Each structure stands twice: as C-alpha cells, then as structure tokens.
Amino acid sequence: MYKLLVQKINALYSKKVPATGIGLFRLLFGLVTLQEVFFLLYFNHLIFDPIPFMDVEFPMIPFFLWLWAVVAFCLVIGYRCQAVSIANYIFWLVFVNFTPMQRDFDGGFDLFMIGANFFLIFMPIDQAFSVDNLRKKLQRPFVHYSQYQTPAVSALTYYLPVAICLGFLYFDSAIHKMFAEHWRNGLGAWLPSSIPYYMSALDLSWLLNIEILQKIIGYTIIVFQFTFLLFFHRRQFRWLYFLIGISLHLGITLSFNIYPFGMGMLIFYALVMPFAWYRKIGAFLRVKQPLLTVFYDQQCPLCNRTVLTLNHFDVLHAVDFKPAQVFAIDYPALAELGEKQLLTDLYAVDGNGRVYAGVDTYAQILISMRYTAMIGWAMKLPLLYQWICGRYRAIADSRARLVCDVSCMPASAESLPPSLYERIFEAEHALPARSRVHKISKVLLVLILFQFNSSFHYGLLYRLHVDTRQSPITSMLADMSNAVLMMSHTFLGITPHALYLHDHFEGYDRLLAITYLDANGEEQWLPFVDRQGRLLAPNWGRVHSMWANIAVTPNIDEFRLKKFIMKVTAFWGKKIDLELDNTQFIVKMKRIRAPFVWEKDLRNSNLAGEWQAIGSARWVGKDIKINLPKDIDIL
C-alpha cells in the first residue's frame, strides 16, 4: 500500500504542468477571504460584542479585521505571497478558534478555509497572476519578457490539496448522508431548499416541483462524493468531475443563503479543471495578432521596467513591446523620426499604421489591453490629459540611460528568498528527489490517518451509537481519538461534515421572527427575517447559522434563544436608528413542514404560513426583558 502511494506521489511530483490554476486558486481564495472579512466588519458588533453597540468587549477587533483585509488583498494580487499566506492562515486560525465566531457564528466553511490555507502556504502561488512574479522580473530589467518561459510547477501541488480538502471532505460527508432518511430518498438538496430559513431570494419552486429531477440531483451528489477521491485524478474522468462539481456548488451558492460555503468550495475547482482547458481558454482569449506595437529605449532602466510591468498586466497579449534601436527601422510609419527623437518618447504603431507618442501611447496601451480601456479613455479627458502630459514630460526628460555592458546581463541568482514550495519541490533548493517523495508520502499518510480518525469516530461510531466507554481500553482509545481530533480540527480544519442531515431537520416545524412597533404604533418587520420567513440579505452566512442553526432548532434552548433575540434587536435596532428604550419588539412564530418524502409545492406552502405573536422584548438601558412561553416546543 505504501509502495503504491510512493509510486503515485513520485509520478505526480515529477510531472510539470502550467501554474495558471494555482495562481487563479490563490486569487479566488483571497477574494473569498476578503469578502468574509468585510462581512465581519459589517457585523462586528453583532458577532463580537456581548451586547451589540452597548458592551464593546473587544474594541481592537475592527483594527485587526482591517489588518486582515490588507493581508487578504495582498494575497489576491500576489504580493509577498509566502508571508501573507502564513499571516492569512494565522488570522483564520485565531478568529475561528478564539473569538465568538467559533461558538455562536460558525460560517459553515471556516474550518475548510483553514485547511485550504494550510496547503496554500506550500503551493507555488507566486508563479501566476502575482506581483511577486513581476518583482522577480524587475530585478533583471534588461531581460526581455519574451525570454521567460511559461511557469511550470509540480502536478502534485494541484492534486494533493484537492484530494485532502475536497476528496476526504466529500467521502466523510457521504458517510454521514447514508444515515439521513431524506438523503437516502434522494431529497438532500430538495429539503433545505424548501425551508424558508435556508433558501436564497431566487424562486426555484419550478425546479423543486420536479420530483424525478430532485432525486436525480440528490443521488448524483451521493455518488459524486463517494467516488470523487477514486476518479477525479484520472485524465478521462477529470472533466466530468469538474463539470459536476462546479454545477453542484454553483447550485448551493445560488439556491441557499450560505453563499460563502458555496464559493469556498467552488474556488477549489480552479485546481480540478483539466490542464488542457487552461491552454485552450488562454489561446481563445488571447488576441491572434498584437493590436499595438510599442517601441522603447532598451538602454533606459525605467523604460525596461515600465515595459515589464505593462506586459505583466497585458493578460490578453494585445501589446507587443520592441526595442526601438533594433526594430523601429522595420516600420515605415516611423521612418520620418530620427533615432534621437525616437528615444525621447514612447512611440507606438497600431494595426492601421497610426502613430502614437508619449501620453497617447500609454492611453492606447491601456485601451488595447481592453479590461483597462476605461482608464485609457479617461486619460484623454481635457485638463486631466494636460496634467498627465506635464508629469510625463518631467519624468521622461530626466530619466537615466546607460550603455549596456555586463551590468545588463541577467543576475546569476534571485535576491528574493526561496519559497516553501521551492525548498520542497525545486532541485536547487531541496533534498534529493527520492527523499522528498518519501517525506511527502509520510506526511500524506498522517493526514489520511487524521481524516480516518474523524470519519470513523463521528461517521460510524457516533452514528451507530457505539458505546466507547464500556471498557477501560475503549475509553482510553476514545480519549486518544478526541485528542487527535482536537489538534487536526484546530490546525488542519479536519472535521465531520454532517451538514443538513435528519438530526437537523427532524422536528424543524416552526420559524421565529422579530417585529417592532414604530412611533405610530404600527407593526414593522425588523430587517432580519421577512414576512415569508426568509432571512434577508445581508443576514446570510454565519449570521444565518447563528439564527437558523443555534437559536431556532427542533429543540429550542430558551437561554440561547433569548441571547440571540437580545443581540439581534440591539444590533438592528441601532442600525435602523430605533430608540431601543421606547420600542417594543414582538417575537412571532409560524408553522412549517420538513418532511423526509417529496411533496409538491412545499417551498411555497412554507413561505405562505400565518404568523402569530408568542412573546415580546423591551430594552431598559443595557437590560432587556424578554417574555416567551415557558415551553415553546408545545406551541
């Protein structure tokens, strides 16, 4: 078994593939993190304050969130990738495990992001779509960009994170699904989509009312999750698992209000996409012939760095940069310009033979690059154009030139320190290949054991109600298992993926909402749960989890319910400028149904139920008095 694992690892380790998917994965991971940080900033007082706006226990939280946002932005653009990937991992680790997020505001994908970020630290994330890649080129400005080869990385950096973060997650989730009646009935996607708390704003009732289609989707998910780990890496099946996975997670993102979970899973498919597809998409998007040819002074360090920078962001290859001293003579449109005049400005020629100079050249470059066209057009606006021309002239006339000698030659070594990926995978920085493969194989075995421990402990022993405390030996083994679970859960994000199962929906037959009486005594709905029972945006993601998974459950805990009524009324009361001391809040309830067999039009039926007032809440200073029935379960 171990020998087979080593052989597979060695084959993937030696195979070189384009770095495009790794760079895209880093960029998307940073964007998902960034939107989540902005979400935390918006709901800062709801999540982190014991009493929103009134009792601020962590006043430095916004500062650290903004610091995290800077780190996430640097990850998006690929600036100092190694350092920011480690910093981002620490931020996820600290906020998820050591703040109220861990207890009351689980985002549903936090541990998944921790695990993904752990692998991100060791991946070659600076090889594509990164500022770091540009920084390396700028260290050798007299090397033309055409002399750089397309970055290639070990295929193992694609397959290993997918196998651990997606493959193991899917398999563990499928085990849990086998114990849920509605999943066995093929209704795993249909049931939560019919519960108002969980549905998005899209009306998908037409889709939910096709029973056979819902069962096909439900059974497809189970088969997909059980088989993903076995077949996703095979070339003949890779495209199929990519398309099915993209479709399923896009469906989660669009149909449920847990969009961060859907997006967090979707970004991994940047690593699942067949490598040939990246090449074909790139060839399709890139222009066949450059739209603009730019001529620059090859003995000007500033010009060379400018060319490298512009080319780095010219992802469609729409502009060709050529040294004026060598190539200008081949273009009749430049024949009237002497070499001295040609080197005083940045000149360009488009496909129609039109000549541009100075600021006009820069504007035309941006227009030709297409996605920056708005900036190029803006540069030509009156007043702004004259100001830019003045700044350009001052810089162009004072730039330094040098005669190219040995100082122009490429440096023998990079001054940037090697990344962890380079130390592990690149021969000039790493141990001998055989030793590296064995070390990676052993690490993978440990991760497999960690995941097996979680799946066996919670997916089988817990689900089968096995008493692990019946003997001293089994009790000791259970304690050891829990200790390993705590470590792998905290630092690697390995956790049971028992989401939306029978023990969650069984008995989930009522919804709670909060209204208030305005200054005219008229009842208004707090911008939280609407008249239909749906959680309104932006109360999605981890705020949805707080209300729909913790405050309101099949067995409502009075203490927790009152705690979150307090938080929600204080937060949204302040947000919409209510005078809390003079406002009466009303707790309302309506009945819904959560059957484990298919019913036509269940979604609309649950949305159309009638509400009844079951309690009230009123603030007095920093205290809130909440009146609820002694036993909500019997209402």
Side-chain angles (χ1 to χ4, degrees):
M1 180 65 181
Y2 177 73
K3 185 177 180 181
L4 183 64
L5 177 65
V6 171
Q7 290 176 348
K8 186 65 177 178
I9 294 293
N10 185 56
L12 294 175
Y13 180 91
S14 305
K15 182 181 179 181
K16 294 296 183 180
V17 295
T20 309
I22 302 289
L24 184 61
F25 173 72
R26 184 215 72 240
L27 188 154
L28 295 174
F29 185 90
L31 286 174
V32 171
T33 300
L34 192 60
Q35 71 82 29
E36 193 64 18
V37 174
F38 288 146
F39 183 94
L40 291 173
L41 280 164
Y42 184 84
F43 285 103
N44 162 37
H45 292 285
L46 176 65
I47 295 172
F48 301 107
D49 292 356
I51 305 176
F53 296 105
M54 302 182 207
D55 183 8
V56 182
E57 186 172 328
F58 308 102
M60 289 295 289
I61 284 287
F63 169 78
F64 287 108
L65 286 174
W66 280 113
L67 193 60
W68 190 2
V70 171
V71 168
F73 177 75
C74 290
L75 195 61
V76 170
I77 65 174
Y79 177 69
R80 299 191 180 275
C81 291
Q82 186 74 86
V84 298
S85 63
I86 295 173
N88 200 60
Y89 174 74
I90 293 173
F91 272 117
W92 273 112
L93 205 65
V94 170
F95 271 88
V96 169
N97 291 287
F98 302 103
T99 71
M101 280 172 56
Q102 183 269 343
R103 183 178 64 253
D104 296 330
F105 292 88
D106 176 19
F109 78 131
D110 296 338
L111 294 172
F112 176 79
M113 295 295 280
I114 288 176
N117 205 148
F118 176 80
F119 282 97
L120 200 69
I121 295 172
F122 301 93
M123 295 168 70
I125 55 177
D126 62 338
Q127 298 296 306
F129 309 122
S130 74
V131 173
D132 279 356
N133 196 22
L134 174 61
R135 290 171 63 214
K136 290 180 180 179
K137 293 178 182 178
L138 292 178
Q139 291 180 337
R140 301 185 294 178
F142 291 98
V143 178
H144 194 265
Y145 58 81
S146 61
Q147 298 182 37
Y148 289 95
Q149 296 182 347
T150 302
V153 299
S154 171
L156 193 61
T157 58
Y158 280 81
Y159 288 101
L160 195 56
V162 172
I164 301 297
C165 295
L166 279 190
F168 287 170
L169 180 152
Y170 286 151
F171 193 81
D172 180 83
S173 180
I175 293 174
H176 287 280
K177 287 178 172 62
M178 290 297 93
F179 292 90
E181 181 181 348
H182 65 290
W183 274 104
R184 294 197 301 271
N185 292 337
L187 301 176
W190 170 82
L191 182 57
S193 299
S194 302
I195 306 298
Y197 275 172
Y198 297 88
M199 63 181 66
S200 72
L202 294 177
D203 184 357
L204 299 177
S205 54
W206 61 272
L207 186 65
L208 299 174
N209 285 335
I210 306 175
E211 180 182 4
I212 184 64
L213 180 58
Q214 290 303 309
K215 290 186 175 181
I216 290 174
I217 293 173
Y219 289 128
T220 298
I221 293 172
I222 293 175
V223 173
F224 173 81
Q225 292 190 331
F226 266 127
T227 60
F228 182 89
L229 198 56
L230 296 175
F231 298 113
F232 88 91
H233 54 87
R234 297 180 182 271
R235 185 176 181 181
Q236 61 269 36
F237 296 120
R238 191 177 177 90
W239 65 272
L240 179 63
Y241 279 85
F242 171 79
L243 292 178
I244 294 176
I246 284 283
S247 301
L248 294 179
H249 291 298
L250 188 61
I252 290 174
T253 305
L254 296 176
S255 61
F256 296 157
N257 57 18
I258 52 171
Y259 69 92
F261 175 81
M263 293 193 302
M265 301 292 283
L266 274 172
I267 62 176
F268 255 90
Y269 282 84
L271 305 179
V272 180
M273 182 188 289
F275 301 122
W277 289 20
Y278 276 116
R279 299 186 184 97
K280 291 178 181 178
I281 292 173
F284 174 76
L285 293 177
R286 286 193 291 268
V287 298
K288 302 301 181 285
Q289 293 292 332
L291 304 178
L292 192 71
T293 303
V294 179
F295 302 89
Y296 66 96
D297 181 358
Q298 66 177 347
Q299 292 182 335
C300 164
L302 175 62
C303 300
N304 280 272
R305 290 190 172 93
T306 301
V307 165
L308 288 173
T309 302
L310 291 171
N311 173 260
H312 179 79
F313 293 101
D314 181 21
V315 293
L316 302 181
H317 296 190
V319 182
D320 189 16
F321 295 89
K322 295 183 176 182
Q325 292 93 328
V326 179
F327 293 98
I329 194 173
D330 298 330
Y331 287 78
L334 302 177
E336 298 180 358
L337 303 175
E339 181 175 337
K340 183 177 181 180
Q341 182 180 355
L342 194 61
L343 298 180
T344 58
D345 266 322
L346 195 68
Y347 283 88
V349 179
D350 66 15
N352 297 318
R354 286 190 291 265
V355 178
Y356 304 89
V359 172
D360 292 323
T361 296
Y362 281 100
Q364 201 61 32
I365 289 172
L366 295 172
I367 293 171
S368 299
M369 287 165 61
R370 296 183 179 177
Y371 74 98
T372 57
M374 293 294 293
I375 302 175
W377 292 326
M379 288 176 62
K380 296 185 176 184
L381 293 175
L383 298 180
L384 181 60
Y385 177 80
Q386 285 76 14
W387 180 82
I388 294 176
C389 285
R391 297 300 304 160
Y392 168 79
R393 195 74 269 150
I395 296 173
D397 293 342
S398 61
R399 62 189 170 89
R401 299 184 73 246
L402 55 84
V403 177
C404 198
D405 53 22
V406 291
S407 64
C408 304
M409 301 302 292
S412 58
E414 298 282 358
S415 61
L416 294 177
S419 65
L420 288 176
Y421 166 79
E422 291 170 328
R423 293 175 184 175
I424 297 173
F425 290 89
E426 300 297 338
E428 61 268 26
H429 299 291
L431 297 170
R434 181 180 178 84
S435 176
R436 282 173 269 159
V437 168
H438 277 280
K439 286 183 179 296
I440 293 172
S441 300
K442 291 173 183 177
V443 170
L444 179 57
L445 271 179
V446 172
L447 295 176
I448 292 173
L449 289 174
F450 283 163
Q451 181 61 60
F452 176 79
N453 177 58
S454 176
S455 297
F456 184 75
H457 189 115
Y458 284 106
L460 294 176
L461 297 182
Y462 173 78
R463 292 293 174 189
L464 295 173
H465 306 290
V466 175
D467 184 7
T468 58
R469 301 296 177 180
Q470 60 184 342
S471 73
I473 294 178
T474 57
S475 181
M476 179 188 68
L477 291 175
D479 290 338
M480 292 173 60
S481 174
N482 282 325
V484 172
L485 276 170
M486 180 174 294
M487 183 184 70
S488 61
H489 175 95
T490 302
F491 296 103
L492 298 174
I494 295 176
T495 188
H497 296 281
L499 301 176
Y500 296 170
L501 300 183
H502 62 292
D503 46 8
H504 181 84
F505 287 116
E506 189 172 15
Y508 209 126
D509 59 2
R510 59 203 175 284
L511 306 178
L512 299 184
I514 304 173
T515 62
Y516 65 93
L517 299 180
D518 63 16
N520 298 321
E522 296 183 3
E523 186 177 18
Q524 306 290 342
W525 289 78
L526 210 61
F528 185 61
V529 176
D530 71 1
R531 295 175 184 271
Q532 293 181 313
R534 290 191 306 103
L535 280 153
L536 297 173
N539 302 286
W540 291 356
R542 61 184 72 253
V543 175
H544 149 89
S545 179
M546 172 274 293
W547 189 255
N549 299 339
I550 301 176
V552 182
T553 64
N555 299 299
I556 293 177
D557 181 279
E558 182 182 357
F559 174 79
R560 284 197 165 189
L561 176 59
K562 287 185 175 180
K563 172 183 177 181
F564 294 124
I565 289 175
M566 175 272 294
K567 277 183 166 284
V568 169
T569 54
F571 179 81
W572 281 113
K574 290 288 187 180
K575 280 285 187 180
I576 61 176
D577 297 323
L578 294 179
E579 295 183 13
L580 291 182
D581 286 349
N582 298 322
T583 302
Q584 180 179 346
F585 295 92
I586 302 169
V587 181
K588 312 197 77 168
M589 184 191 77
K590 82 167 180 176
R591 288 289 180 178
I592 61 169
R593 300 186 66 254
F596 292 161
V597 293
W598 184 83
E599 291 184 10
K600 186 175 182 179
D601 221 25
L602 179 65
R603 180 188 189 274
N604 291 328
S605 174
N606 281 337
L607 290 174
E610 294 294 329
W611 293 92
Q612 59 176 312
I614 63 167
S616 63
R618 184 180 288 276
W619 282 92
V620 180
K622 291 186 178 181
D623 296 321
I624 185 172
K625 182 176 178 57
I626 301 175
N627 295 312
L628 291 173
K630 292 183 178 180
D631 191 352
I632 295 178
D633 289 341
I634 66 174
L635 290 177

